[in-house]
Amino acid sequence: MADAPKTASQEDINKNKTNAILCYLGILIIIPFMNEEAKKSPFVMFHLNQGLVLLITGVVVGVVSWIPIIGWIVAIAWFVVWLMAIVNAGSGKMKRAPLVGNFEIVK
């Protein structure tokens, strides 16, 4: 996983870990998306983008997962990437998700 292009201060990371984790929890992504203070945080914005990308790919993976064996492997791989993203947010890291992390939806 490549490092994120922008960096965040340690104070920003410590203050916004909860919002960053919420970015990966489905519909709860709305909370940091609607929070004006969180939108000013480079740490939250990075994870908001990663969360949106994973949410969109998760919908696609949900459809593909109906295909026996290949779909199941893809679903397991997506789940592992999703867990890695949550762990990175909780650890205060700004690392892109493998394969899909380079897409930028939110700037």
Side-chain angles (χ1 to χ4, degrees):
M1 287 189 281
D3 288 337
K6 295 179 183 176
T7 58
S9 69
Q10 193 60 45
E11 179 184 345
D12 177 31
I13 292 169
N14 292 337
K15 183 178 176 185
N16 289 299
K17 279 186 185 178
T18 303
N19 279 321
I21 292 169
L22 288 175
C23 293
Y24 298 103
L25 300 179
I27 193 71
L28 295 179
I29 198 170
I30 291 173
I31 295 170
F33 190 72
M34 301 302 275
N35 184 338
E36 289 300 320
E37 191 173 316
K39 287 173 35 176
K40 294 176 185 174
S41 164
F43 183 66
V44 173
M45 291 307 292
F46 172 81
H47 287 289
L48 184 63
N49 183 70
Q50 295 289 291
L52 281 172
V53 169
L54 286 172
L55 183 64
I56 292 167
T57 58
V59 170
V60 173
V61 167
V63 173
V64 172
S65 69
W66 286 90
I67 301 169
I69 302 173
I70 294 173
W72 303 336
I73 292 169
V74 170
I76 291 168
W78 179 88
F79 182 73
V80 169
V81 169
W82 177 75
L83 282 178
M84 289 170 54
I86 291 174
V87 169
N88 284 335
S91 300
K93 297 177 184 171
M94 292 174 66
K95 292 193 174 189
R96 295 188 185 277
L99 302 174
V100 296
N102 287 328
F103 293 103
E104 195 164 326
I105 297 173
V106 179
K107 294 185 182 198

